[in-house]
């Protein structure tokens, strides 16, 4: 069987993970949560497929489970600061798996960019998308290998 080789920039993955860990530590040390913007648990989360909020980690989780998932198992696709990025990870996994008649969250890159900009602004977060994209590639690569 042939395996697809992925070029993963581990420095970018490390940078993304470091920035999210720093954010969590900063929130834990803050005496007033409001200085970090709206908390995800207080906002209305769009009904995106494959996304839920992980209360303990204070992040969004992307998951895929379906008949066309390899082995019919549930696949964890990563933790994300923004729900829109978790939704994109779900979409990317479906594309990689070539799921027939897949119901995706974003039909175009522009739809994701618009949702991401609105969410970033509302939550007062600035998350580097290049680092997110690299992290996303590394977390979903295991389902196609």
């Amino acid at each position: 069987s042939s395996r697809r080789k992925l070029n993963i920039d581990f420095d970018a993955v490390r940078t993304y993970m470091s920035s999210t860990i720093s954010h969590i530590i900063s929130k834990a040390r803050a005496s007033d949560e409001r200085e970090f913007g709206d908390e995800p648990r207080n906002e209305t989360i769009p009904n995106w497929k494959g996304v839920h909020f992980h209360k303990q980690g204070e992040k969004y989780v992307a998951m895929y489970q379906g008949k066309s998932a390899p082995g019919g198992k549930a696949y964890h696709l990563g933790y994300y600061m923004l729900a829109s990025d978790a939704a994109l990870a779900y979409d990317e996994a479906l594309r990689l798996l070539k799921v027939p008649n897949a119901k995706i969250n974003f039909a175009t890159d522009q739809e994701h960019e618009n949702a991401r900009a609105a969410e970033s602004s509302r939550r007062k977060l600035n998350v580097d998308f290049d680092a997110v994209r690299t992290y996303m590639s590394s977390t979903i690569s295991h389902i196609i290998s």
Side-chain angles (χ1 to χ4, degrees):
S1 70
S2 65
R3 288 187 169 210
R4 186 185 258 181
K5 290 188 178 188
L6 296 174
N7 292 326
I8 298 172
D9 180 353
F10 288 104
D11 288 334
V13 172
R14 214 172 286 114
T15 299
Y16 175 72
M17 292 172 72
S18 175
S19 70
T20 58
I21 290 168
S22 295
H23 175 76
I24 291 169
I25 290 170
S26 295
K27 279 179 35 180
R29 289 183 179 155
S31 60
D32 183 6
E33 286 185 357
R34 286 172 290 171
E35 76 181 70
F36 292 98
D38 295 334
E39 294 300 314
R41 65 181 173 270
N42 294 333
E43 71 180 48
T44 303
I45 301 169
N47 192 19
W48 283 324
K49 292 192 64 56
V51 177
H52 69 271
F53 184 68
H54 188 267
K55 289 178 187 175
Q56 267 186 317
E58 297 255 336
K59 289 186 182 181
Y60 296 94
V61 179
M63 298 280 299
Y64 173 65
Q65 180 175 4
K67 293 175 187 170
S68 49
K73 296 189 262 183
Y75 286 89
H76 173 79
L77 305 171
Y79 293 96
Y80 299 88
M81 296 294 291
L82 300 174
S84 55
D85 289 343
L88 182 64
Y90 174 85
D91 291 356
E92 291 296 320
L94 293 180
R95 286 185 187 104
L96 285 171
L97 292 170
K98 299 178 181 165
V99 175
N101 303 316
K103 293 181 181 174
I104 60 173
N105 296 297
F106 305 110
T108 66
D109 288 341
Q110 189 62 52
E111 281 183 28
H112 172 254
E113 288 171 23
N114 293 344
R116 188 175 204 281
E119 184 179 9
S120 294
S121 174
R122 184 177 63 252
R123 296 204 32 231
K124 299 177 182 93
L125 289 175
N126 183 16
V127 182
D128 176 30
F129 185 64
D130 290 333
V132 170
R133 177 63 87 176
T134 301
Y135 169 74
M136 191 181 298
S137 295
S138 70
T139 59
I140 63 177
S141 64
H142 70 281
I143 66 172
I144 59 168
S145 57

